Amino acid sequence: MRKEQKEAKYALFEEYLAKADKFLGQTPTGKNLLDISEARGTTYDLDFSLTGEDAGYCMLHEGKPFVNECPSLIKKDTFAAFFENVIHESVHATVIKEYINVDVNPIDECHKRELDEANAVARTIQIAYEMHVMGIDSSVWEFMNGKESGKGAYAYGFAYPDATKAYKRALKKDPKSWQKPDAIQSAFMARLTTERKKTGHSFYYDINTLNYINNLCDLSLCDKKLEKSTSPEKILEEKYGKLFTKPETLEKKDIEHFGEWLGENYLYDKNGSMEYLLTDEAKRAGLSYYAKKQLQKTELTLAKTKHQLKIKEQASKAEIIAKKKQLKSR
């Protein structure tokens, strides 16, 4: 892409970001998201390595969230698709943490990522509806209900129609449910279950997560940094919580940061509990057939890797003891 084209793309990108900030700041949920993003120092940029089929992603750069958007979403007829993705990735930016370690539980790692995805989708739908019902802007809400937005990524509408339908069913049952946890929780559960079972979503999230763990297993056997990252449980718990070390003891506080919303948590059930999200059944409910098969393979690979690392550690200790004995005998 020529320099002039990139400059024009960046100019429209800045225009779209300013427009998005203006709209977000007028809604209660959007304002809350903006405040968190600003507090965390979230920055936004274009990634010209992304293809037309991509949308965007969030990563940590020097400890701060960094949202990258695909240039194909920056066209004069793609604001709705761009805005939807900016909101989605901004939600990810509120909870993103660095994590490189083979000391994980695969099903919990998948479940954590799916909670994060369901949260991002549900919050985005909530913000889109707030803008629509408050008369601020209806483009993202229309986009989520099947309206096309330009060409390339998401050209044929929102990627999670079942979540939108669940939100609308809640609205039909109670028109004021958007002001309560009911509507957004319905969208969240749809993304966590029915949407997750779809082959495309399952491959992109669950199977990619499991493949990532498999790659870490391979690297940990030859990379000292990763080998040493199998830290004591205390260190892991301090940094990542029980989600990675003792899934059987998870409490609602361990994942409630995924659902804080205007001072109340929409992930609580009617009894004020989150236990329904933490059961083994809930963690496996949305797994596709392919992901279930991959999970079994990953669990075996992980067990084998941990065993090999333990053997390496024991061999290293034995070598140190032998050298000490040699020194003493001299």
Side-chain angles (χ1 to χ4, degrees):
M1 183 178 290
R2 294 196 304 270
K3 181 181 178 181
E4 295 80 6
Q5 290 177 309
K6 281 191 175 183
E7 289 177 349
K9 191 74 75 172
Y10 267 112
L12 187 56
F13 174 59
E14 294 296 335
E15 180 184 321
Y16 274 7
L17 273 180
K19 188 176 178 181
D21 281 354
K22 180 182 177 182
F23 289 157
L24 282 173
Q26 296 177 62
T27 69
T29 303
K31 179 64 166 56
N32 177 257
L33 179 60
L34 282 179
D35 290 344
I36 297 173
S37 297
E38 185 176 344
R40 291 206 72 186
T42 306
T43 55
Y44 299 81
D45 201 356
L46 292 175
D47 184 345
F48 286 89
S49 69
L50 295 176
T51 68
E53 297 303 313
D54 297 317
Y57 61 93
C58 178
M59 61 181 286
L60 282 180
H61 179 65
E62 296 181 351
K64 292 186 178 181
F66 195 72
V67 172
N68 297 273
E69 292 293 329
C70 180
S72 68
L73 284 181
I74 314 300
K75 297 177 181 177
K76 290 188 176 180
D77 60 347
T78 57
F79 176 71
F82 165 81
F83 195 9
E84 180 274 325
N85 190 255
V86 162
I87 300 170
H88 183 103
E89 297 302 333
S90 294
V91 174
H92 284 319
T94 66
V95 296
I96 189 171
K97 292 183 179 180
E98 285 184 308
Y99 186 74
I100 301 177
N101 200 284
V102 294
D103 212 2
V104 296
N105 181 311
I107 188 64
D108 279 299
E109 187 69 6
C110 287
H111 193 53
K112 176 187 118 16
R113 186 170 182 181
E114 290 296 346
L115 287 172
D116 192 13
E117 284 302 319
N119 183 49
V121 169
R123 289 194 184 210
T124 305
I125 292 173
Q126 174 72 15
I127 290 172
Y129 188 72
E130 285 180 3
M131 289 193 297
H132 168 69
V133 77
M134 293 172 70
I136 298 166
D137 178 76
S138 294
S139 63
V140 180
W141 180 247
E142 291 171 356
F143 172 63
M144 289 177 166
N145 284 278
K147 185 176 180 180
E148 294 182 16
S149 180
K151 297 178 180 179
Y154 297 158
Y156 302 105
F158 189 47
Y160 308 103
D162 287 350
T164 306
K165 289 175 183 176
Y167 190 92
K168 289 166 70 176
R169 282 196 295 271
L171 288 173
K172 188 174 182 180
K173 187 176 180 181
D174 177 6
K176 293 184 178 181
S177 61
W178 67 279
Q179 297 172 312
K180 308 171 185 178
D182 300 21
I184 189 171
Q185 189 182 75
S186 297
F188 176 90
M189 293 307 297
R191 174 62 185 88
L192 193 63
T193 54
T194 56
E195 292 284 9
R196 186 182 176 190
K197 289 179 181 177
K198 295 178 181 178
T199 302
H201 296 324
S202 177
F203 268 97
Y204 190 79
Y205 294 104
D206 289 321
I207 292 182
N208 275 347
T209 297
L210 295 171
N211 286 337
Y212 177 71
I213 294 173
N214 287 337
N215 290 335
L216 280 181
C217 286
D218 291 337
L219 287 170
S220 68
L221 295 172
C222 58
D223 188 319
K224 289 290 183 182
K225 183 179 178 182
L226 283 172
E227 183 182 332
K228 290 178 181 178
S229 73
T230 52
S231 312
E233 285 191 352
K234 183 179 178 182
I235 296 175
L236 281 175
E237 283 189 17
E238 285 177 357
K239 193 168 184 181
Y240 306 113
K242 296 176 183 176
L243 193 64
F244 301 104
T245 58
K246 296 179 181 177
E248 70 279 5
T249 64
L250 279 172
E251 300 173 8
K252 59 188 178 185
K253 66 180 181 180
D254 295 308
I255 60 169
E256 68 180 355
H257 64 281
F258 285 102
E260 289 180 2
W261 201 276
L262 298 178
E264 64 178 332
N265 194 322
Y266 72 84
L267 297 186
Y268 289 151
D269 62 17
K270 291 180 180 178
N271 297 318
S273 170
M274 290 176 67
E275 291 180 2
Y276 71 105
L277 287 174
L278 302 174
T279 64
D280 187 69
E281 181 184 356
K283 295 171 187 177
R284 297 174 186 272
L287 284 170
S288 70
Y289 167 78
Y290 301 100
K292 286 177 181 176
K293 290 186 68 175
Q294 182 66 26
L295 175 63
Q296 292 177 332
K297 294 178 183 177
T298 301
E299 287 174 334
L300 287 172
T301 300
L302 200 56
K304 181 180 178 182
T305 301
K306 288 181 179 180
H307 178 67
Q308 289 173 315
L309 286 172
K310 190 173 182 179
I311 291 174
K312 283 181 67 178
E313 183 181 359
Q314 290 172 342
S316 179
K317 287 180 179 178
E319 185 180 351
I320 291 171
I321 292 171
K323 286 182 178 180
K324 284 181 176 180
K325 285 182 178 179
Q326 286 179 352
L327 288 170
K328 287 180 179 180
S329 63
R330 287 178 183 176

